[in-house]
Structures are given as C-alpha cells and as structure tokens.
Amino acid sequence: MKFKAFLTDNGVNLLEKRFVPSLDKIGRICHMYLTRDHVFLLHNLLNSDGIQSIAQFRKEALFEEYRISSQNDDCIAFTIDLGLLHRALRSSLSIAGGERRQIKLVKKLSAGCTNQPMPFLTFETKGYKSALIQDVPISKPLSRTDVLELQASLDTTQDLPQTLVQVPDLNQFQHQVDRLKHIGDLLDVSITQYGDLHLHVSTTLATVGTEFRKLRILGVQANIPDGSEGLSARTRTEQAIQRGEALSVQVSIKHFLKSLQCHLTKPNAAFYGIAPQGACLTAIFQFFIPGTQQTDRSISLHCRLPVLDTGSG
Amino acid sequence: MGFIQEYLFNNFEPSRTSVRIPVVTLIPLVAFGYTFLNSEDATSFLRKRIRARKKMSSSPFNNEALDLVCRLENVQGIVDALTSVKWKKLQDAVIELSEHGIVLIVEETGCLQAKVYLKRELFVSYEYTAEGRPRFGLSLGLFIDCLNMFSTAVEIRYPGSDMQLILKSVGSQYACAYAEIRTRIPETISWDCDFEPTGGVPVTFTIKSAGLKEAIDDLEWPGSSIQIILNPDPPTVTFRGDGHGDLQIDLPYFPNSDLFMAFQCRHPVSFRYKYKFLQATTANFPNNVIKDNRGSKLTIGRGGMLKVQHLVTVAKSGSHNEYRGYQQPGRIAYIEFYLKPEEEESIHDS
C-alpha cells in the first residue's frame, strides 16, 4: 500500500483555507478516501448517525505527481483528524519558498508506542532555507471489506432529489436559521416544485417560520397554482404537498446549521432538495471555474441530512 | 462518480433572475385586559373569546377581528429595550395594550418590577380597536427570540384565532418570516408598584447610564445588600455594600459635571436594596444604551421604593432623527424599574 503526491499551490490553498476548516465544523474526524483519480473527505458514511458530507476532488485539483497503489484496486481509506490536518497544512504554507509539498503515507515508530509502527500521513515541505516534516497520525487503513462498504455507501449518496432549489445568499440564510435554533431543536423543511423553500419550527409555546419564494429550480418544476398568492406560507406549503408538488421532512436544526457551515468552502451556489420518499435532505454546493460561470467539475461537495420525520415523504 | 458535478454542469444556467432574501420587520403585541375572579372564569372567558374569534374570521389575518395591528420598521431598538428587563433565562412577562401603546411588565417575587413603555409613536402604524386594556402573558425570552427573527419591517397582530400573538414580515415578495407566540392569561395580577413621591421636593438624581452601571457592577464584590444614601450637604450619592467585604462608592454632585445631570434632595435619605435586584436594573443594558449614555433617573419614593428610569433609542434604521443631540420623543422607549427596599431605615424620609 503506497501513496505519494505533491500538493499544488492551488490544492493546498483549497484545503487549508476552504475545505478543511469547513469540514472540521461538521465533524473533527473524517474518512480520507484515495482512489486512482479522486480524493474524498467523507463524514459519517459508515454509520447512519449525523450529517453525511461528501467532498470530492479530482486528483489534479489538489496534487501533481500523484502515485497510489494498493492490493485493493489502488484504493486506500483511513480516518484522519481534520484539526491536525489543518494545522499541518497551515504550517506547510508558512515555509518561505515552500514550492514542493510532498504528502505520503508512512508507517513509523511513534514516541509513545515503541512496539508497533503506526500509520501517518507525512507532509514534507522544502523551503529556501528550511524544511519541515510533519506527521499527522491516521487510523490503520480500512480493510478491503470496509473500503468496499465505504464505496457502496458513497455510490448511494449520489442519488439526487427530483427538485433542487437554489438558496439565494448563504450567509444571510445561515443568519436566519441561526435565529431559528433559539426557538426549537426540530426543523421542518418543505420544498415545492414552484421554487419555494419553507423552514418551520414549532414548539408548545411558539410557531416560527421563514419562507423563500420563487427560487431558482433544478429538476422537476411546476407552475404556481392560481389563487395562492394571498395565502399564508404554511397554507401554500400544505396545499402543494397535497397536490404532490412538494415534499416536507423534519431534520435536526443542528444538522441543518452544520450543512450551512459549508459556506466556508466559498461555493458559488448552494441547492437544497429532498430525496424521494423523504429519505434525506440533500444540500449540494456548486463551484465555478474561477473567473467563469462554468461548473468546476473537479470539485464537488454535498451533504445529506438524516430525516427524523419523513412528513410528506 | 462525479455525477453531481455533471448534473450541475448540465442543468445550471448562469443567473436568470436575481433573487432577494427576506427582509423583515417587527413589532407590537396585544392582550386581554380583564380581571378574573378565578381560573374557571378565565378559562371560560378565553374559550368564548376564541370561539368568537374563529366565528368572526376564518383567517387569522382578518384585520376586523383583531384588537391590534401595528407595524414596526425595525425591531432592533425594541429588542434592546426588552432585553434590558430580561434578568433571567426563563422569565414571564405580561403585556398590556392600549390606544397609547404597549406596556410590557416583568416582576420578581414582589420585590422588583420592570416596565417597558412602547408608545404608539414608535410604530409606523398602530391600529387599536380593543375595548379596555387587554392583557396577556408570554415568555419574554421567546418574544425576544422571535422578534430577532425579523431583520427588517414587521407587522404585529393580536389576537390570532387561538389568542396567539402574530408577527409577520412585510415588504418582500420573495421571502417572508412569521411567528405565532402562544399567549396565556396572566397568572397573577401584576404587582402594582405603589410608588408615591415623598412630599415636597422629590428625592432624585439623574446620572449617566454608563456611570451608574459601572458603579453597580463594582458593587458585585461585596454583593448582598446595598445601601443607597443621598446627602444634600454636600450633595452626594453614596452606594455602600457590605457582605463579603465593604465597599463604598461616593459620587459627589457638581453642577455641570460629566456624571450627574440633576440632583434633588433636601434631607439625608438612606435605604438598603438587595444587590441582585439593583444589579438587574443595569445588568442587561444593550451596547447601544451604554453607547448613547443617556441619563438614568433614580427616584426614592415613600417607604424607600426606588424607581430607576432609562431611555432606549428606537431610531428608524438609516434615518437621522437627531438634531444637535435632540432625539424625537417618539423614537424613545421608556424603561422603569421599581425596587422595594430591604428594610426601612430611613435617616430622614420627609
């Protein structure tokens, strides 16, 4: 099992400034999954607890001279502490003239454990006057069975909701949801095929909600029914569900807020949708090729929020 | 793999329309305003009223069925005023509605009471149609949290079909926020603080709010019981704390001083107050109250009842109502605290 590559400037910036801090807020420990062509950072794919996040990079987006080999079809997966990874990336950026940043998988005898070599992801940065070697401890690489399970789980996460609506401004959206968390813990999320996103928290003391209308839609859409303009947000949503033109699910507001932490990755657009039968709430973040409005197909990030009550689903 | 990027690539078209996020507004509330002999009377009254509401209107937004419909341009000033009287996490409040505005009352064990006066002039519009002065109870923290949901203009209505207080954002067709807060009949008739001025010249002083807060915060160390002494000669206000230790803060009054704006006292007066109640009068000042640093007026009434009054600016966002330090009275929320003394040990209470 071997892995060695050189982080590009773009790659190290992408990870250090955007993805690792953002994913760290979803969960400190994640799976790093390396294949021949892609690198994944994955949360909660091997367990059904909590929010699942899937960050995927084409190897060229992060690395050059990417070399990987394993008996498991050249796939390697392990768990890593994102806090430590972030620290290593930050230190590596601090080396003046550090143009060559090598990253490789090694086994070493660590200071605390002298009997058995432990696996590390080692960062070697060479600058003009100094060199820095950092060992980030990782878990023992996953077994073939676990890697297959991880891949199978990853495949299922590629299912898309029929209707996705684009959230207008992630910062402001997060601000709004942040305030809802003071009211209650459970959030009802409804998405209509007319482009309406309705968030609703209800407790024994209060009912609070916020609705965004006429959002950009990807996928299945329907015309806004006549006579719905004067109705309240809740009535409109209920009617849309009855017509089969909307889905509603209940999720943890903490999970929803975690999904919004992905705005730290600086996406160019964010979409929310509900999977068929209300299986999960999906958030998809879109990145453009810098300076264009073309989707950057080398980077992808999406989250799947577990559903507590399938509601209309 | 890469299906999601492919999907976005194939389906995404650059900006077709500009989408705006919600703008919200906020404000007032309403209530019953009836006195009940017992809870059965209250329950019966409430049921009849709810039935009547439902009969009158199938929609909670039918204005004809409402006691109050008012609109706030910006909630921040009102949130600040309400936060000033929230001294514990779970705190119930009573709201009283009238044609003059809204009064929110909170109290603690019959020793401390606070009132926030939101005059009708604070609202962009204020339509009041109730008879009498309806009163209702609600959770103060929840009310503040709900108001905070609204980042711009808000319409407040009372009562909804189940006697709830309804807040709804106005002004944006692309986004809206709403809140329905369940109300209850106040469990107790709020303690009517029996504040009577001492005869003749009132015993009072007006001090910069930040200075008052600083003095009271400093008294946290001795804690327990705080003695407030006013002496006319030389004119001085003294705060004395003795608990874990002794601390005395003397604030001498000079005309045109930076700290005091007014001082009136003909005879020495001294009363003790519980520190935790005294602290509640300034502990939750929002930043802009300290920044504005308006005066806080303290008056000692008959029997040592202490009245602390603050002003909170409730300016329209983006408007400049101030002219050479003058703020339109309509843009001010009044806050009053009433504290009962620990014991009557007046030196001279005229």
Side-chain angles (χ1 to χ4, degrees), chain B residues 24-207:
Chain B
V24 184
T25 323
L26 122 63
I27 290 311
L29 35 102
V30 182
F32 302 133
Y34 299 89
T35 304
F36 302 99
L37 295 177
N38 55 51
S39 61
E40 283 181 13
D41 289 342
T43 308
S44 163
F45 171 83
L46 183 61
R47 284 182 183 148
K48 281 180 192 168
R49 198 167 156 90
I50 290 172
R51 278 200 296 272
R53 289 281 165 211
K54 286 183 172 170
K55 202 173 171 185
M56 285 169 74
S57 168
S58 57
S59 160
F61 300 116
N62 182 340
N63 284 5
E64 290 177 12
L66 298 169
D67 287 345
L68 177 70
V69 180
C70 56
R71 189 176 285 199
L72 269 180
E73 198 167 326
N74 187 304
V75 298
Q76 194 51 55
I78 298 213
V79 165
D80 286 347
L82 298 181
T83 304
S84 299
V85 298
K86 182 176 179 288
W87 56 75
K88 61 183 182 184
K89 195 173 177 186
L90 299 174
Q91 192 167 0
D92 286 331
V94 173
I95 286 175
E96 184 176 288
L97 308 176
S98 75
E99 66 273 29
H100 305 297
I102 296 167
V103 182
L104 179 134
I105 307 160
V106 290
E107 61 186 28
E108 175 92 17
T109 61
C111 294
L112 172 65
Q113 185 182 81
K115 290 183 177 178
V116 178
Y117 295 91
L118 306 172
K119 296 187 301 175
R120 63 181 298 154
E121 289 81 6
L122 290 176
F123 301 91
V124 177
S125 64
Y126 191 88
E127 295 169 31
Y128 179 80
T129 56
E131 292 174 11
R133 293 193 170 193
R135 276 188 172 190
F136 60 85
L138 45 59
S139 157
L140 177 60
L142 183 65
F143 185 37
I144 292 171
D145 286 339
C146 287
L147 284 175
N148 264 324
M149 281 283 302
F150 298 86
S151 50
T152 54
V154 173
E155 186 171 79
I156 297 174
R157 296 166 180 245
Y158 178 87
S161 57
D162 287 318
M163 308 307 291
Q164 66 274 50
L165 180 68
I166 299 167
L167 314 180
K168 188 170 179 286
S169 66
V170 288
S172 170
Q173 57 173 318
Y174 295 107
C176 78
Y178 60 87
E180 293 182 7
I181 305 171
R182 307 221 184 0
T183 62
R184 56 170 176 73
I185 296 170
E187 285 172 13
T188 54
I189 298 302
S190 64
W191 166 59
D192 222 354
C193 50
D194 199 11
F195 189 86
E196 290 177 36
T198 53
V201 178
V203 178
T204 182
F205 63 95
T206 306
I207 185 171

Side-chain angles (χ1 to χ4, degrees), chain A residues 106-123:
Chain A
V106 298
K107 270 191 169 181
K108 281 186 182 177
L109 283 171
S110 69
C113 182
T114 51
N115 297 334
Q116 219 176 359
M118 303 294 290
F120 292 93
L121 198 58
T122 293
F123 289 76

